Amino acid sequence: MNCLQNLLKEPPIVGSRSMRRPTPLNLAPGASTSGAESSAVEVEKSDVYSTNMTQAMGAALTYRHELGMNYNFIRPDLIVGSCLQSPLDVDKLRKIGVKTVFCLQQDSDLEDFDAFDLRLRLPAVVSKLHKLVNLNGGVTYIHCTAGLGRAPAVALAYMFWILGYSLNEGHQLLQSKRACFPKLEAIKLATADILTGLSRNCITLKWDNGSCSSVEISGLDVGWGQRIPLTYNEEKGAWLLETELPEGRYEYNYIVDGKWLCNENEQITKPNADGHVNNFIQVSRDGTSEEERELRERVTGPDPDLTDEERLMVREYLEQYVEG
């Protein structure tokens, strides 16, 4: 659905992929506030959103919804910005030549920060973006809520897969135009998934202490904002989680009786800048050929690029993609 369908009075701006019309950071529908109260509420919500974003992304980023729409030209034909807030924003975009508004807001704005969700959705989203750009031409405006996470990532994947940039080259250009934090690892893994296929592999995680009353895991493929409960196995005297994950490296922590802990019997990351460590698991697909392993290592490595043949394969995949 076109998230701006009620704001537009004429074509050609076309919105896409929105699940809801932009609202002032999810203020309750029908809520009545004075100008001062409304401003205070929006400032408070901006603070909460910025805090959540910083914690989830691992980077200090700030979004001020109360200051209105903000954006940057990444290329003459590509803009990344924050959500539109009024019909005046539509008029503003028309005046700078925007033909397509590509909306990436979700029912839960925290999904903007979920790298695993982004990895799985990128091919469908960039496919739709590519088709809309070909149809409409002109300037394209890509936004999520703040324009700092998901929107920059989609723009970067589009530059990498379609426009011919290497990933690092596109990332440097993006960062030179707009302070943001696209999830590079999600783009790398989505690229490998397109070229070698996406398969899920069974894993088992175990917490050996049977004397506790509850064990959960956060991280993995659900992100740090959610938890997966483990099941106690009386025969083994341990808490177990059996699940399926696509290839890749996943970090996680256990929450044992409400306390966040690492399992010393499983792999542990090196301490980050704050001294925190996590457990991690590297999931590999059974039966992968040496050629596929080398390809995945290259496109998920520190300086990924695509050969002409690989870029053609990705483009054909995106052009033929039909979302189920």
Side-chain angles (χ1 to χ4, degrees):
M1 284 292 290
N2 177 359
C3 70
L4 305 175
Q5 62 183 356
N6 296 322
L7 303 181
L8 298 175
K9 298 179 181 178
E10 57 180 310
I13 295 184
V14 178
S16 177
R17 196 160 155 24
S18 170
M19 296 186 181
R20 58 180 171 80
R21 184 178 174 182
T23 57
L25 258 70
N26 297 330
L27 286 175
S32 176
T33 59
S34 69
E37 291 173 337
S38 177
S39 177
V41 169
E42 290 197 2
V43 169
E44 180 181 357
K45 286 184 175 291
S46 290
D47 289 340
V48 171
Y49 190 89
S50 296
T51 298
N52 291 339
M53 180 167 53
T54 295
Q55 291 175 346
M57 290 187 174
L61 298 171
T62 302
Y63 172 54
R64 308 307 319 179
H65 184 82
E66 66 275 10
L67 298 181
M69 179 180 69
N70 69 85
Y71 60 85
N72 299 93
F73 275 90
I74 310 304
R75 292 164 36 102
D77 58 353
L78 183 63
I79 303 174
V80 172
S82 64
C83 61
L84 284 69
Q85 299 181 29
S86 77
L88 293 178
D89 290 336
V90 178
D91 295 335
K92 187 181 299 183
L93 294 182
R94 287 189 187 282
K95 290 177 181 178
I96 59 174
V98 170
K99 300 291 186 181
T100 303
V101 171
F102 200 70
C103 176
L104 294 160
Q105 285 183 288
Q106 300 289 325
D107 288 327
S108 169
D109 286 328
L110 285 179
E111 290 185 28
D112 274 350
F113 318 137
D114 186 343
F116 183 77
D117 175 73
L118 181 63
R119 168 190 178 179
L120 296 185
R121 292 175 183 260
L122 265 177
V125 174
V126 177
S127 170
K128 185 172 292 186
L129 172 63
H130 176 47
K131 292 170 184 176
L132 281 171
V133 171
N134 284 343
L135 177 66
N136 299 328
V139 180
T140 299
Y141 185 90
I142 304 175
H143 77 86
C144 45
T145 296
L148 299 175
R150 181 167 293 232
V154 169
L156 180 55
Y158 175 71
M159 294 164 69
F160 182 36
W161 293 344
I162 299 297
L163 299 183
Y165 292 82
S166 72
L167 188 61
N168 289 353
E169 178 188 13
H171 185 231
Q172 290 171 6
L173 175 60
L174 182 64
Q175 292 282 16
S176 72
K177 304 295 184 179
R178 183 175 180 84
C180 58
F181 196 73
K183 298 279 191 177
L184 295 180
E185 194 66 21
I187 300 173
K188 293 176 183 181
L189 289 169
T191 305
D193 294 340
I194 290 174
L195 293 171
T196 67
L198 177 65
S199 67
R200 293 181 179 270
N201 308 273
C202 293
I203 66 159
T204 300
L205 300 176
K206 181 172 71 170
W207 184 265
D208 285 316
N209 184 354
S211 63
C212 50
S213 59
S214 71
V215 180
E216 301 168 300
I217 279 181
S218 185
L220 289 179
D221 59 333
V222 299
W224 297 107
Q226 300 186 55
R227 301 180 181 187
I228 308 172
L230 277 69
T231 301
Y232 184 68
N233 186 301
E234 292 187 4
E235 183 179 340
K236 296 183 178 180
W239 297 82
L240 302 178
L241 172 67
E242 295 182 350
T243 188
E244 293 185 338
L245 294 173
E247 289 179 84
R249 185 178 186 272
Y250 300 86
E251 296 188 13
Y252 58 96
N253 268 162
Y254 288 88
I255 303 100
V256 181
D257 289 341
K259 185 177 181 180
W260 289 68
L261 298 170
C262 274
N263 189 336
E264 295 182 357
N265 297 319
E266 296 171 357
Q267 297 181 92
I268 298 176
T269 64
K270 294 180 180 179
N272 62 16
D274 298 323
H276 297 143
V277 296
N278 298 317
N279 286 119
F280 75 92
I281 185 170
Q282 183 71 44
V283 180
S284 300
R285 175 170 48 180
D286 294 333
T288 303
S289 68
E290 184 65 28
E291 182 180 3
E292 286 180 334
R293 278 196 296 270
E294 290 177 355
L295 191 157
R296 291 193 75 95
E297 289 176 3
R298 174 166 56 81
V299 299
T300 59
D303 188 19
D305 199 2
L306 299 173
T307 65
D308 291 343
E309 182 180 4
E310 289 165 352
R311 186 162 275 110
L312 179 61
M313 288 174 60
V314 171
R315 179 186 289 267
E316 290 178 345
Y317 177 91
L318 296 175
E319 290 175 347
Q320 296 171 9
Y321 188 94
V322 179
E323 192 168 11

